[in-house]
Amino acid sequence: MYARLKFLELMAELNETTFEAFFHRLMCTRYPEFLDVRTHGKLGDQGSDGLMLHESKLYASYAPQTVSATEIRQKIRSDLTKALAKRRNQFNTFVFVHNDRRGMHPEIATELSDQQRAHPDLQFQQMGSRKLW
């Protein structure tokens, strides 16, 4: 119970780059094959905050301080567009990682569903605090 409370406290404090750093540490610890992708100058991260090579999963994380469904939808579209252009043969599952402790915003769930229909050759998943726990 104590560990769960500490985790929830930590999740409340993490956003933007601190959340991404936490996500990288967690995934690298749990999955040795996880590649924690960092940004590099004009290249950026090519739409990916991490790759799981054996499972062909691309992770795109977004943890804003203030939740705006419009901005989150734009972030999903932007990361997916970049990933399809730069990493098309590196993944078949797009995983949206977020810091919303209460679950998935309805508009974000709709966006992921819309992207699934627009890209039937890909799978779409989400990873929030419940799955990170």
Side-chain angles (χ1 to χ4, degrees):
M1 171 101 44
Y2 177 75
R4 175 86 172 133
L5 290 174
K6 292 306 280 181
F7 173 77
L8 291 174
E9 181 182 308
L10 177 65
M11 289 301 292
E13 296 171 2
L14 297 174
N15 56 60
E16 299 171 5
T17 57
T18 59
F19 178 78
E20 186 176 328
F22 167 77
F23 173 68
H24 282 166
R25 280 192 316 274
L26 179 70
M27 293 297 285
C28 286
T29 301
R30 174 64 178 92
Y31 302 101
E33 69 274 14
F34 179 77
L35 303 177
D36 51 333
V37 179
R38 65 177 175 85
T39 59
H40 181 76
K42 291 182 181 182
L43 264 179
D45 61 13
Q46 298 181 325
S48 172
D49 294 310
L51 291 167
M52 190 79 78
L53 297 179
H54 302 299
E55 296 179 21
S56 297
K57 289 185 178 184
L58 179 139
Y59 295 84
S61 68
Y62 189 56
Q65 285 184 340
T66 306
V67 175
S68 163
T70 301
E71 289 178 16
I72 297 171
R73 281 196 322 268
Q74 289 171 348
K75 175 67 172 162
I76 290 171
R77 291 175 188 165
S78 171
D79 281 353
L80 182 57
T81 299
K82 288 177 200 170
L84 288 170
K86 305 286 184 177
R87 299 182 179 277
R88 183 62 193 108
N89 295 319
Q90 298 176 18
F91 71 102
N92 59 26
T93 303
F94 180 91
V95 184
F96 179 66
V97 183
H98 60 89
N99 67 337
D100 194 335
R101 290 180 16 189
R102 297 180 358 199
M104 173 95 5
H105 188 286
E107 290 183 39
I108 307 312
T110 297
E111 180 64 30
L112 291 175
S113 179
D114 289 348
Q115 292 300 333
Q116 177 69 70
R117 280 193 306 283
H119 304 281
D121 56 324
L122 294 177
Q123 295 181 21
F124 289 81
Q125 299 175 355
Q126 66 87 30
M127 182 182 283
S129 62
R130 290 183 188 112
K131 291 186 180 179
L132 290 169
W133 169 249

